Amino acid sequence: MSGTQEGTFASLRTQLQEAAAAFADGPGALEGILLGIVDDVDHAVGEPLEIFPVCHHSPASAIAMARRLREKQPKVVYLELCEDMAPLLTELRNCKLPVAVQSFATEIDGFPAEWSPLSVVAPITEASAEYQAIAYALDTPGVELVLVDRSSDHVFQWDARGAHTDGPADPDAPPAEEEAALHGDAVGVEIGDLRPRFAELEEHLLRHGKVRHWSEWWHQYVELPLGDSDHDTYRQVMLLIGSLFRRLAPGDPHRVRVDEDRERHMWIRMREHLATSGADPADCLYVCGAFHAVSRVEEFGVDGSGTFEIGPPTATVWQHGLIPSSHAAIEAQFGLAAGSVSIAATVWAKNVKRSRVEPFGLVGQAGTKKSRARKTRPAPAPVPGPPPSDKLTGFLQQPPALDRLDEAELLGWSVEIVRAARRNGYLASTADAIAVFETSILLAGMRDRARPTPYDFQDAAVTCIEKDSVPGRRDVRRLVEIMMGGDRVGQVGYDALPPLARDVHDRLAPLGLKLQQSGVRRALLDIASQPELERCSDVLWMLRYLMPQGAARPIMGERKLGERPIQESWDLALGTYQRALIELGYEGVSIEQVLEQRLRRTAYDRRATTATVLETVEDATLYLRSRRLADELGTHALEVLSAERSVDGAPEVLRRVRRMLAYYRTSEPVLPPWIESFVKTGYAHYCTLLPTAFTDEDATVRHVAAMLGFLFSMESLALSLGCDRTQLELAVGQSHPEESSKTALLWAAQVQLGGLSRAQLRARCDALLDNPLVVAAYPRYLSGFVHALDPVPGLTDFVVEAVSNAFGRLPDPVLLPWLPTLITTLRSGGSELAPLLIREAGRTFPGRLDALDAWVPPWRALPEPPSARPADGARGGPGCALLVAHPGTCDAVAVLLGCEEGWEAPDAGPSGVELLGRHPDTARALERLLDIA
């Protein structure tokens, strides 16, 4: 056999040796590369198990594959695809192409935690050779399909994170649209990655081919010449291209090692299957990328050797499914030019029509043309065929085929693009259609092409129609892509969805919407008249929490603690975000289970703060209505609070605890044990941290105010649970802040605790205004008072007084310099408390301008003169005056004590207040008696 092969390409070897001597001025590296390429082709062609080299999403490869499958009718098809994806391929008939086979893992074991989630996708389109092989194997009785590439687990075992890039994206490509993100950040696995890894080689090919990007070069110099070629020519040319790119690779050690390990893995799997099944290699077909088809590893071939061992997978739990894909997503993930996959689909349709090759398609698959039913012919008996002939010499020597200009096709393109441009806001006319037509021919001629390609037409359309700006959402380049076939978006059928996705569609069925279709659907829920729609509302709110923002967007309605929905309106795009819904199915069998898992994962994360855990408690109550989960997460929040030594989350903790307390007090007879323990522990915790927070530079006045807000607002509940108010008084007494705003906040706390009177606080503020050295810092004192309105809301009128005094007493040379500081300070630190000040100021100041002159501020009102007051002896003192005005209280106490005497006259001896001062034991005995009663 080797002797026969040596004679097959003897003529080509001689010509290449002469060319190498002529170009390189003697034998050397160039001769070794050229002859090595021929040896690689010779080596692959001579393998007993037929190797079929392909390029991913190549119409020429798909046509050649369909033709070869009908000629050879192999009994076993080995396919370069992750071996753990095999069970999913039968579900392709329930999908609309393009879709991607996905392996997904959220619970990882054996990989770094920051890699989670792990995702591997293999996109499949109708115009791809692997789809032809899959359709043939699944719908032909007696044919076995075997996937031989590494598993999804080994993809991450062998590849370093961050090395999953398949070439740079085209800089001229338009911005990625919504469909371009369908694969997310998944690692792409494709068959036939045929792109030069040698940057200088790619640049050389693009420059001499007079094209802008690699996809255009491949279309012009490979796709079109191989579209009508026979099997031997196609096979040898693809092997030659694979060998060329392999030998001119830059030699990245990691990537070379991964490629060789993949090739060893595939040949070992094929030999294992041949040994166990007893299949004849002559009845088998190995479909792989042209780059791997010319491998030189020791394991190559059915008679290969080598000691490569395939390691075991990690303990990572992998989920498998199908997700929708699109042409734009494939182009974005694998670095292809925008529109290249759509153009490939158009070329595929033309090739099928021109070559009359009947492609394979899965029976019952949506979105594919129904092929005529035909009986499957039995596989012919293996007959030794003639030795392969040299097709490379003729292919390399023939001049490029110059297709004649198809004026009707080009004219139709020109008219259609002008019509599409006018629909999108461009001022295009018939003259522009003529200009596009002529410019396309001109560009093709400048690039040595008689027939303009879609890429030439695209450049001409951009040049002639698109001027300075894009009036609509799409530019001309995008319009050409749509016209050439558009960005076809696939869809996974209902039967191929995971249980969670099917359950979501079933539970949303009462809405009566076609949610599996792409696009936005408006859902109107009148829950008051149709109570059964409340279950749909629950599902929608959970989807809004779990899925991307555009999947379920509420237009009207909100969900709050303690409230029941009445009417809601939603914009739903579950068909557009089908991938996200499918990936939810990898995490659980119901959205409730997935939501509970995510809440637990968030709460028990090592970086979770008390505020974060309290948020999960609120979400568990709001979306799941689960008291069990809320109690569990609330108990964990108590543990996190006890371990915290920072007060950064104090404002959020205060806000959420207040909201949860208000909910439980109105909806349940008693408070849950966890929140009582949380208030008790939080009271002691913040009392301990308060002196440090007052002096800590990292703790802002907002954080300290939130701590005081927690202590003062929760004080009654904390004291009823056994806390000691002395702890708070000691904490305030031990606080000695240096910052002006915190000092004002401390004064407010002392007023709340009774350690400082309002008169003393007013005197301190007056002293600040009178001191020229301190008056510049007065805005920061006001900022502290404003923040104190949350823990001490009773000081609202005093803050209005403090601001008014500053504006009334300070002269303009002093007031105007720090006025901007006051405004910015209040806006940045107290914007949420400004309504309290505005409301109090509106209540205090007169409502009319003419009343302002005669208005006297309440804090400056003079006390009444002594002559105007009633005599203390006549009324029995201020306390007796209150008793005389309201005698019912005293009468009730007298009845309780059994006193039958009546009221004494005002001048009948000492007043009641004097008696209490002389004989306090009576008041104490009365107090004990009232406590017993």
Side-chain angles (χ1 to χ4, degrees):
M1 186 67 182
S2 60
T4 304
Q5 294 302 317
E6 290 177 2
T8 302
F9 298 99
S11 175
L12 181 59
R13 284 193 177 90
T14 302
Q15 296 181 38
L16 292 178
Q17 285 177 339
E18 296 174 355
F23 285 101
D25 195 18
L30 179 60
E31 180 181 1
I33 292 175
L34 296 177
L35 296 182
I37 292 174
V38 178
D39 292 339
D40 290 341
V41 176
D42 197 354
H43 180 64
V45 169
E47 173 60 32
L49 194 158
E50 181 178 339
I51 303 174
F52 194 94
V54 299
C55 176
H56 200 45
H57 305 303
S58 167
S61 296
I63 287 292
M65 173 62 72
R67 182 188 293 115
R68 185 56 179 169
L69 289 174
R70 296 201 180 276
E71 292 175 355
K72 183 181 179 66
Q73 297 188 14
K75 297 179 180 179
V76 180
V77 177
Y78 298 113
L79 184 61
E80 179 191 339
L81 197 62
C82 294
E83 55 187 1
D84 56 333
M85 295 181 176
L88 291 173
L89 299 182
T90 57
E91 296 294 336
L92 288 175
R93 66 179 74 254
N94 298 319
C95 304
K96 177 183 176 182
L97 298 180
V99 296
V101 186
Q102 182 184 39
S103 298
F104 192 86
T106 54
E107 300 178 3
I108 61 176
D109 186 358
F111 301 106
E114 58 270 15
W115 290 14
S116 179
L118 305 180
S119 180
V120 180
V121 297
I124 297 176
T125 62
E126 187 179 1
S128 58
E130 64 267 32
Y131 174 72
Q132 294 298 311
I134 292 171
Y136 164 79
L138 295 182
D139 283 350
T140 304
V143 177
E144 185 177 3
L145 178 65
V146 182
L147 306 186
V148 294
D149 200 1
R150 55 183 174 167
S151 66
S152 304
D153 196 274
H154 287 88
V155 169
F156 290 94
Q157 286 190 38
W158 295 355
D159 290 7
R161 189 69 168 179
H164 307 293
T165 55
D166 294 84
D170 179 28
D172 299 328
E177 294 189 356
E178 190 175 74
E179 292 80 4
L182 288 179
H183 294 173
D185 57 353
V187 175
V189 178
E190 64 173 4
I191 298 179
D193 175 20
L194 281 186
R195 183 165 185 163
R197 300 182 182 178
F198 190 31
E200 287 77 4
L201 172 61
E202 182 173 351
E203 180 183 358
H204 176 81
L205 294 176
L206 297 183
R207 183 175 68 254
H208 288 274
K210 299 180 180 180
V211 294
R212 291 181 295 110
H213 43 71
W214 174 250
S215 300
E216 185 177 358
W217 186 93
W218 181 268
H219 172 84
Q220 178 64 26
Y221 294 100
V222 180
E223 281 294 332
L224 297 181
L226 289 182
D228 297 326
S229 62
D230 58 89
H231 171 65
D232 290 339
T233 302
Y234 165 83
R235 188 181 176 200
Q236 294 177 20
V237 171
M238 293 294 289
L239 291 173
L240 177 124
I241 295 174
S243 177
L244 174 66
F245 293 165
R246 191 182 185 98
R247 288 184 174 272
L248 293 183
D252 179 17
H254 171 74
R255 188 164 185 177
V256 171
R257 182 174 65 254
V258 171
D259 288 334
E260 292 180 350
D261 288 347
R262 291 180 62 187
E263 293 154 5
R264 295 185 178 98
H265 185 284
M266 289 187 285
W267 280 110
I268 288 176
R269 291 298 191 221
M270 285 187 284
R271 288 204 300 270
E272 290 176 352
H273 181 267
L274 290 173
T276 56
S277 64
D280 186 357
D283 295 334
C284 303
L285 186 67
Y286 172 33
V287 182
C288 67
F291 188 87
H292 300 294
V294 291
S295 173
R296 285 289 187 171
V297 296
E298 296 179 357
E299 289 80 3
F300 182 90
V302 295
D303 299 325
S305 58
T307 58
F308 181 75
E309 295 184 3
I310 302 175
T314 64
T316 299
V317 179
W318 288 90
Q319 304 287 339
H320 299 85
L322 297 169
I323 62 173
S325 183
S326 67
H327 293 170
I330 297 172
E331 293 159 0
Q333 186 168 27
F334 298 109
L336 304 176
S340 59
V341 179
S342 299
I343 293 175
T346 304
V347 174
W348 156 258
K350 291 182 178 179
N351 289 349
V352 170
K353 184 177 180 180
R354 183 182 66 253
S355 63
R356 297 186 178 182
V357 174
E358 185 177 356
F360 292 93
L362 292 172
V363 177
Q365 185 171 30
T368 58
K369 296 181 180 179
K370 296 182 180 180
S371 58
R372 295 175 298 175
R374 55 182 296 175
K375 297 182 179 179
T376 304
R377 296 175 298 174
V383 178
S389 58
D390 179 11
K391 300 290 186 177
L392 285 178
T393 303
F395 182 84
L396 296 175
Q397 290 180 348
Q398 68 181 5
L402 299 178
D403 296 339
R404 63 182 182 84
L405 174 63
D406 190 343
E407 294 187 359
E409 180 186 53
L410 183 58
L411 185 61
W413 288 355
S414 303
V415 173
E416 184 64 28
I417 190 58
V418 169
R419 183 182 294 113
R422 294 181 65 178
R423 285 196 302 264
N424 285 268
Y426 288 90
L427 299 178
S429 62
T430 305
D432 294 311
I434 299 174
V436 172
F437 180 86
E438 297 295 341
T439 306
S440 300
I441 298 176
L442 177 62
L443 289 177
M446 295 173 60
R447 297 165 179 173
D448 297 331
R449 295 193 282 267
R451 181 175 183 174
T453 65
Y455 298 97
D456 299 326
F457 173 76
Q458 187 180 58
D459 294 341
V462 172
T463 303
C464 299
I465 298 178
E466 191 170 282
K467 303 300 188 294
D468 296 333
S469 61
V470 178
R473 187 169 64 94
R474 298 185 177 96
D475 56 8
V476 174
R477 189 178 302 278
R478 178 64 180 149
L479 294 177
V480 174
E481 296 171 8
I482 295 175
M483 191 190 71
M484 290 294 175
D487 183 18
R488 185 178 303 174
V489 180
Q491 186 181 34
V492 179
Y494 177 86
D495 295 332
L497 292 174
L500 180 143
R502 293 200 299 269
D503 179 62
V504 168
H505 284 288
D506 293 341
R507 294 167 68 177
L508 295 179
L511 299 178
L513 302 176
K514 298 180 180 179
L515 297 178
Q516 285 190 275
Q517 297 179 358
S518 60
V520 179
R521 300 288 186 273
R522 176 63 59 89
L524 302 175
L525 286 72
D526 188 1
I527 303 174
S529 60
Q530 295 178 289
E532 65 275 7
L533 293 182
E534 186 175 358
R535 298 180 179 178
C536 297
S537 174
D538 295 339
V539 174
L540 293 177
W541 283 108
M542 284 186 284
L543 290 177
R544 180 179 180 269
Y545 183 90
L546 295 171
M547 294 186 67
Q549 184 177 3
R553 186 167 62 93
I555 304 301
M556 181 184 69
E558 59 181 352
R559 176 152 291 201
K560 292 184 177 180
L561 289 174
E563 296 184 2
R564 307 295 294 185
I566 299 176
Q567 286 184 336
E568 292 179 352
S569 176
W570 291 79
D571 276 351
L572 304 178
L574 298 184
T576 304
Y577 292 89
Q578 193 180 49
R579 167 182 167 265
L581 182 60
I582 291 173
E583 290 185 350
L584 285 182
Y586 300 153
E587 302 182 41
V589 296
S590 66
I591 52 177
E592 288 83 1
Q593 180 186 3
V594 175
L595 180 55
E596 182 174 341
Q597 290 176 354
R598 290 197 180 182
L599 292 177
R600 277 203 176 94
R601 190 182 308 127
T602 303
Y604 288 93
D605 188 86
R606 58 183 179 85
R607 295 168 294 183
T609 61
T610 306
T612 305
V613 182
L614 288 177
E615 182 181 5
T616 62
V617 176
E618 185 175 345
D619 292 336
T621 306
L622 192 63
Y623 298 109
L624 295 176
R625 298 190 178 96
S626 174
R627 176 67 182 272
R628 170 191 55 82
L629 181 61
D631 291 347
E632 176 189 341
L633 299 179
T635 304
H636 180 63
L638 180 63
E639 300 173 359
V640 176
L641 177 66
S642 302
E644 279 188 348
R645 293 297 176 264
S646 172
V647 296
D648 294 342
E652 188 69 13
V653 171
L654 173 62
R655 185 173 65 88
R656 295 193 178 278
V657 170
R658 282 177 174 173
R659 193 155 54 205
M660 295 299 296
L661 274 173
Y663 167 72
Y664 285 126
R665 281 171 173 168
T666 56
S667 62
E668 298 189 11
V670 294
L671 293 177
W674 76 266
I675 200 167
E676 292 183 348
S677 301
F678 188 90
V679 171
K680 183 178 179 180
T681 304
Y683 189 87
H685 178 74
Y686 285 133
C687 283
T688 304
L689 296 180
L690 188 61
T692 305
F694 266 112
T695 58
D696 189 2
E697 295 181 356
D698 295 333
T700 64
V701 62
R702 179 170 175 265
H703 296 148
V704 180
M707 296 174 61
L708 291 174
F710 185 95
L711 294 171
F712 290 152
S713 61
M714 307 291 169
E715 184 177 14
S716 59
L717 178 59
L719 295 181
S720 67
L721 296 174
C723 294
D724 190 358
R725 194 169 193 260
T726 307
Q727 188 177 7
L728 175 58
E729 294 175 348
L730 290 175
V732 173
Q734 294 172 358
S735 301
H736 305 286
E738 298 179 357
E739 188 180 349
S740 303
S741 58
K742 292 183 179 179
T743 300
L745 188 62
L746 178 61
W747 292 348
Q750 291 173 348
V751 171
Q752 178 71 11
L753 293 175
L756 189 68
S757 65
R758 283 210 172 193
Q760 294 172 327
L761 182 60
R762 185 175 292 110
R764 292 185 180 184
C765 291
D766 292 340
L768 293 176
L769 291 176
D770 294 336
N771 189 346
L773 299 178
V774 184
V775 70
Y778 194 72
R780 290 192 287 272
Y781 283 94
L782 291 180
S783 175
F785 284 131
V786 170
H787 281 90
L789 296 182
D790 187 14
V792 191
L795 285 180
T796 306
D797 58 340
F798 178 81
V799 178
V800 174
E801 174 186 344
V803 176
S804 301
N805 286 337
F807 279 85
R809 294 177 54 181
L810 295 178
D812 290 346
V814 178
L815 179 64
L816 294 179
W818 61 257
L819 189 58
T821 305
L822 173 64
I823 296 175
T824 56
T825 301
L826 295 179
R827 178 178 295 179
S828 61
S831 58
E832 68 278 3
L833 300 172
L836 294 176
L837 294 178
I838 296 173
R839 190 183 308 116
E840 181 65 22
R843 188 186 64 84
T844 304
F845 290 95
R848 301 181 61 182
L849 184 61
D850 54 0
L852 188 61
D853 294 335
W855 175 74
V856 178
W859 54 88
R860 292 185 181 178
L862 296 177
E864 297 181 4
S867 60
R869 298 179 181 177
D872 291 344
R875 304 297 297 173
C880 293
L882 181 63
L883 293 177
V884 172
H886 305 279
T889 306
C890 281
D891 292 340
V893 176
V895 172
L896 179 63
L897 297 176
C899 297
E900 299 178 355
E901 293 80 359
W903 286 82
E904 295 182 357
D907 54 351
S911 63
V913 176
E914 294 179 358
L915 288 176
L916 290 177
R918 295 176 184 177
H919 307 283
D921 295 338
T922 305
R924 296 192 186 99
L926 177 61
E927 181 182 3
R928 289 194 296 270
L929 178 63
L930 293 177
D931 289 340
I932 295 174

